[in-house]
Amino acid sequence: MAVSDHVDLPTFMEGVKKRNPYQPEFVQAVQEVAEDIFEFIEDKEEYHAQQILRRIAEPDRVVSFRVCWEDDNGNVRVQRGWRVQNNNAIGPYKGGIRFHPSVTESVLKFLAFEQTFKNALTGLPMGGGKGGSNFNPKGKSVREIMRFCQSFMTELYRHIGADIDVPAGDIGVGGREIGFMFGQYKRITNNFTGVLTGKGLEWGGSLIRTEATGYGAVYFLANMLATKGEDLVGKTAVISGSGNVATHAAEKIVQLGGKVLTLSDSGGFIHDPDGLDQEKINWVKSHKTHRRGRIEEYVEAFPNATFHAGKTPWGVPCYLALPCATQNELLGDDARTLIANGCKGVSEGANMPTDLDGVHVFKAAKILYAPGKASNAGGVAVSGLEMSQNSERRSWKEDELQQMLKDIMAGIHQSCLAYGDQGGGYIDYVKGANIAGFKKVADAMLAFGVV
Ligand code: GLU
């Protein structure tokens, strides 16, 4: 009989580090999950014998390709493109596409790994994937972005499909870019199919997809607060980012009676002591999305606010914090500052915004802390609903979708409680999310044997 590979956590992580040199983000994401999973599978021999975690932490495939395009001055430009197909045990690969100069294989592998657990948590049949490029959309003309998207899709189209892998947006990829990529997919294949989500409403998109990630992160926060008999009314919130996730999280907090004090971008953060109302949020949406401006200009429009160049907003005293910008934007010391200032709830709108040190600080302080794979799952959940509508060839109504989003976020919260309740009123949402997501994928993998 074969001897099972029942290694301990440090030995497992040593192997992950050795097999993935120079991929710190990927190693970090695996470590955060493995810390909880090793405890959970301690007495579950089959997961060890079948090496389930080791298999989930090895993408099914990583497709890497060259993307050539021509800029407006006629120069030939060369970028790198990837699609990481991490795991399709419970459904087609599903996850966004990111265009940002910080994109590397490590970043996309961590995102695809996280996406696998997140998508499982939604309860919808979606596997995990992620793609992107180190292309920097900042300062590019619309025509340049179009040519880049077309070139990117000219390679990507052969690896995706409505029942194979369904990409969507992420940082640097919104409705406009999805449009350019969908147009090129259709042009190459002559196939009008639900191969991408985040589409425009006229061509197969779903209502509330744009709002879903930010709204979902606030619904999750409201569910967490309810376990303490609290709600959002009168609570102060510090938010980072000023894109789609951050502005919609701000909007929902305001709708539920909370007070949003900050937003940020790569240049720094704005602090508005009066709080952002819907008019100010609309200004930010149009300033960032249509005019592609800097958050710094907020203080010219609303002079009571201050701009803090080169800084993150975590030093502003608050009851709630929502990191909605990018990975590793909230470090251990930021977490310590938040706790010292009385922060009681953190809901991650971005993917892995808190570094490992910060995660350990929040866990030790036993505050309400939701990891992105639970709290930001609303976006991909509505993407899943978009896929269903595309298969049915019909569009659901807004109030139906709003209710489905709320129900899905409440369901994820329940799953976290099922595996994260530590007794004494403390819920470890990181542990709950990791175990609930893992279990679903792992049990499907067990059914398939060694493949
Ligand atoms: N990029 C989003 C995420 O991180 C959405 C992915 C999708 O809708 O497929 O979950």
Side-chain angles (χ1 to χ4, degrees):
M1 201 183 127
V3 179
S4 74
D5 192 358
H6 199 142
V7 297
D8 60 5
L9 177 61
T11 315
F12 174 80
M13 284 313 303
E14 221 172 274
V16 172
K17 278 184 203 142
K18 215 158 79 191
R19 286 189 298 277
N20 301 281
Y22 311 111
Q23 301 203 337
E25 295 87 358
F26 178 65
V27 171
Q28 178 187 340
V30 175
Q31 164 101 31
E32 191 229 83
V33 168
E35 284 177 5
D36 291 322
I37 299 307
F38 264 75
E39 200 189 308
F40 174 67
I41 64 176
E42 172 114 57
D43 55 350
K44 297 176 183 65
E45 185 51 35
E46 201 172 8
Y47 292 139
H48 286 287
Q50 298 303 319
Q51 301 226 37
I52 297 294
L53 186 58
R54 163 106 197 251
R55 283 156 67 188
I56 298 178
E58 194 66 58
D60 288 356
R61 65 189 62 77
V62 178
V63 184
S64 152
F65 49 95
R66 185 186 66 232
V67 188
C68 291
W69 59 287
E70 204 174 282
D71 69 22
D72 287 344
N73 299 321
N75 301 310
V76 172
R77 309 283 289 260
V78 184
Q79 244 72 51
R80 283 192 172 172
W82 291 269
R83 186 71 184 165
V84 179
Q85 297 179 329
N86 193 73
N87 188 292
N88 68 351
I90 63 165
Y93 304 108
K94 179 86 196 85
I97 292 175
R98 178 177 291 192
F99 291 163
H100 193 270
S102 66
V103 166
T104 59
E105 191 174 309
S106 168
V107 166
L108 295 176
K109 275 172 68 179
F110 114 64
L111 288 163
F113 177 78
E114 287 277 298
Q115 198 84 41
T116 302
F117 298 89
K118 183 196 315 198
N119 293 3
L121 283 168
T122 65
L124 301 173
M126 301 182 288
K130 203 86 184 190
S133 171
N134 60 349
F135 173 70
N136 187 0
K138 219 177 269 176
K140 302 289 189 299
S141 72
V142 177
R143 288 277 143 179
E144 288 176 325
I145 288 173
M146 180 188 78
R147 287 196 290 275
F148 179 80
C149 288
Q150 290 174 338
S151 186
F152 187 81
M153 184 52 86
T154 302
E155 172 62 32
L156 186 68
Y157 89 95
R158 61 186 97 239
H159 308 292
I160 60 177
D163 295 315
I164 300 170
D165 183 354
V166 183
D170 195 80
I171 294 171
V173 177
R176 181 179 67 185
E177 290 74 21
I178 292 292
F180 291 147
M181 287 192 269
F182 189 72
Q184 183 72 351
Y185 180 87
K186 201 162 59 56
R187 177 197 201 183
I188 297 170
T189 64
N190 199 26
N191 198 357
F192 194 112
T193 171
V195 69
L196 296 173
T197 61
K199 300 188 290 300
L201 294 178
E202 305 79 8
W203 37 282
S206 174
L207 286 162
I208 80 158
R209 174 62 190 87
T210 313
E211 297 87 346
T213 312
Y215 280 17
V218 178
Y219 291 146
F220 198 91
L221 187 55
N223 281 308
M224 292 200 295
L225 287 168
T227 65
K228 302 275 180 211
E230 295 180 27
D231 59 24
L232 279 144
V233 178
K235 305 282 188 326
T236 50
V238 158
I239 300 182
S240 64
S242 47
N244 182 46
V245 181
T247 51
H248 288 104
E251 187 168 295
K252 187 50 75 180
I253 287 193
V254 172
Q255 284 171 13
L256 296 180
K259 186 172 178 184
V260 175
L261 298 175
T262 67
L263 287 175
S264 71
D265 66 14
S266 56
F269 77 92
I270 56 104
H271 178 197
D272 187 338
D274 301 334
L276 281 86
D277 57 15
Q278 189 64 52
E279 188 202 322
K280 294 174 180 175
I281 294 168
N282 288 345
W283 183 92
V284 176
K285 279 186 190 175
S286 116
H287 184 66
K288 294 296 291 189
T289 316
H290 302 124
R291 298 198 290 277
R292 311 247 153 195
R294 312 294 309 161
I295 197 70
E296 152 170 29
E297 277 129 31
Y298 181 95
V299 300
E300 286 158 33
F302 308 103
N304 261 1
T306 48
F307 175 67
H308 304 263
K311 293 217 163 68
T312 50
W314 314 123
V316 175
C318 59
Y319 195 76
L320 305 167
L322 290 93
C324 297
T326 193
Q327 69 269 6
N328 291 328
E329 54 161 320
L330 196 164
L331 311 178
D333 283 342
D334 301 320
R336 281 180 272 274
T337 304
L338 282 166
I339 299 292
N341 285 341
C343 178
K344 292 281 186 280
V346 177
S347 182
E348 295 184 343
N351 290 310
M352 206 171 74
T354 310
D355 75 352
L356 260 179
D357 187 13
V359 172
H360 294 150
V361 170
F362 288 146
K363 279 192 175 208
K366 297 193 173 178
I367 61 159
L368 300 169
Y369 165 53
K373 62 171 79 70
S375 48
N376 76 32
V380 75
V382 175
S383 275
L385 302 179
E386 183 173 331
M387 289 164 72
S388 302
Q389 293 170 83
N390 292 164
S391 303
E392 261 191 36
R393 301 202 189 285
R394 53 180 292 246
S395 304
W396 301 338
K397 293 198 195 72
E398 179 165 353
D399 50 351
E400 290 177 289
L401 287 157
Q402 291 279 13
Q403 194 54 48
M404 285 186 219
L405 172 61
K406 271 189 206 160
D407 291 347
I408 289 171
M409 297 316 294
I412 298 172
H413 185 261
Q414 275 307 320
S415 302
C416 292
L417 291 190
Y419 293 102
D421 193 341
Q422 304 295 287
Y426 173 54
I427 297 143
D428 183 340
Y429 285 93
V430 178
K431 185 186 212 168
N434 282 337
I435 296 175
F438 171 81
K439 192 169 182 315
K440 185 165 176 191
V441 176
D443 290 347
M445 289 172 74
L446 288 179
F448 303 144
V450 181
V451 290

